[in-house]
Amino acid sequence: MFDGSGYVTTTHGIVRFDRLNTFAQGYVVASSEVWPAGLGFQNLAPETLRAILRDCQAFEAENPDASGAEFWALRNSDLEPDDRFPPLAYFVENGQLHLMEGTLDHLAEGDPYANDDED
């Protein structure tokens, strides 16, 4: 069962699940099915949440009739591969969900926020 409690602290402020738009909420809930048991929204690393939200915004703009859950399913299927939205894999480090190496490569080069949460 998805846990949408808590929040993610980013360099741009606090982000709560219930403040995401419906599309992003659907995407996060669908993607949580592959997360390890016991982890929820509050366990997303800031850079992971940022990548999710950026991708959701871009996909929704091009596909306004799709849902976030449909985007997650399409992204992780072999039906319509799209280099802009490659399949994502997560790993856990220090209780936070991070994207596997290489899955952030689709972010635009020169993105001023691409690594702003790293120490």
Side-chain angles (χ1 to χ4, degrees):
M1 178 176 219
F2 176 72
D3 178 4
S5 65
Y7 56 88
V8 176
T9 302
T10 72
T11 56
H12 303 288
I14 291 175
V15 180
R16 297 184 186 284
F17 177 77
D18 63 354
R19 300 293 183 156
L20 301 180
N21 68 24
T22 303
F23 188 94
Q25 286 181 355
Y27 183 94
V28 170
V29 170
S31 70
S32 73
E33 293 178 16
V34 300
W35 301 350
L39 298 182
F41 179 77
Q42 72 275 8
N43 298 102
L44 287 172
E47 72 275 5
T48 301
L49 179 59
R50 184 177 36 260
I52 288 170
L53 295 178
R54 180 170 290 128
D55 286 357
C56 282
Q57 181 180 15
F59 188 87
E60 185 179 23
E62 295 175 16
N63 304 279
D65 295 327
S67 71
E70 290 169 333
F71 175 36
W72 170 257
L74 182 64
R75 163 177 244 168
N76 292 286
S77 75
D78 294 328
L79 297 177
E80 295 183 47
D82 187 333
D83 291 339
R84 294 171 304 143
F85 305 112
L88 298 181
Y90 298 94
F91 72 94
V92 180
E93 183 175 79
N94 298 322
Q96 288 191 313
L97 285 158
H98 296 269
L99 294 174
M100 294 293 260
E101 187 68 32
T103 60
L104 290 176
D105 293 346
H106 66 287
L107 292 176
E109 287 188 24
D111 176 2
Y113 307 114
N115 296 307
D116 68 347
D117 292 314
E118 293 181 3
D119 292 326

